[in-house]
Amino acid sequence: MKKLICALLALTLTLAMTACGGKPVEETTAPAANIEGTMEELLNRVIEARPVEFAGGIYPIDLSDTSEDGLWTIKSFTGLDDASQLREAAAYEPMIGSIAFSLVMVRTAEGADAKAVAEAMKSGVDPRKWICVEADDMLVTGCGDVVMLIMVSTTSDMTAQSFVDAFQTVAGRSCDFVI
């Protein structure tokens, strides 16, 4: 009788342990959530979170303009030679040309690597694109499919990091990268 009870108890424990085992949980990295809104709306929200002390304006960038002027505009604002990796782009710049400041946001095309786009923007943009002034503080950051490039002159009280912080506030999370 003792052997039968021991055998039943062993069988019960074996079945209980097997039932609790299950399949191992696979860890997956979920893609970063994208930020809602147009580039113009996001630029306005960043400027609200980190105000500037000059009159500025938002300039939508026509990504479909492949004329010489259109490609120059894309290169001047984004640093990119063409818009093939982008879906949408806009910039916020001073209305007076003697302030070294450029805040550019782009939404990458589906399947584009946002960090690779950001690296191309940083290496391709000209921090001396203004007459007589130069941006000496530049960061490029990304959240989901949105990349933000900020160039400022440290002769003012603005820093590129303060705009990255404002972008994170607008995004409601930490950026995926800052370069």
Side-chain angles (χ1 to χ4, degrees):
M1 182 76 160
K2 285 184 182 180
K3 287 183 180 181
L4 181 60
I5 292 174
C6 285
L8 286 174
L9 187 55
L11 181 62
T12 305
L13 286 172
T14 303
L15 291 173
M17 297 296 264
T18 304
C20 292
K23 293 181 180 177
V25 177
E26 290 184 27
E27 289 187 28
T28 57
T29 305
N34 293 327
I35 305 170
E36 299 288 326
T38 66
M39 296 304 93
E40 290 91 346
E41 292 167 344
L42 293 176
L43 284 167
N44 275 323
R45 289 169 43 201
V46 168
I47 294 299
E48 286 173 12
R50 178 32 178 117
V52 294
E53 295 181 11
F54 55 80
I58 292 180
Y59 305 95
I61 301 168
D62 183 0
L63 301 178
S64 65
D65 186 354
T66 58
S67 70
E68 187 176 332
D69 286 343
L71 292 175
W72 178 86
T73 299
I74 292 167
K75 178 73 173 179
S76 175
F77 284 113
T78 69
L80 301 173
D81 293 322
D82 64 63
S84 62
Q85 297 291 305
L86 307 179
R87 275 192 289 170
E88 182 184 5
Y92 183 93
E93 291 202 347
M95 292 182 180
I96 331 172
S98 63
I99 300 172
F101 179 92
S102 185
L103 178 61
V104 179
M105 285 201 177
V106 302
R107 187 173 305 275
T108 58
E110 191 170 328
D113 180 354
K115 189 170 184 181
V117 169
E119 289 168 346
M121 289 173 69
K122 187 168 186 177
S123 66
V125 76
D126 182 5
R128 294 185 52 91
K129 69 180 188 172
W130 305 277
I131 298 171
C132 301
V133 293
E134 176 179 3
D136 58 357
D137 188 10
M138 176 179 15
L139 290 172
V140 185
T141 186
C143 286
D145 65 350
V146 176
V147 174
M148 182 187 84
L149 176 142
I150 176 67
M151 295 191 298
V152 299
S153 171
T154 55
T155 58
S156 67
D157 68 337
M158 298 180 289
T159 64
Q161 185 60 53
S162 67
F163 288 91
V164 171
D165 295 342
F167 181 47
Q168 291 181 123
T169 299
V170 168
R173 64 184 176 94
S174 295
C175 292
D176 302 328
F177 59 85
V178 178
I179 50 177

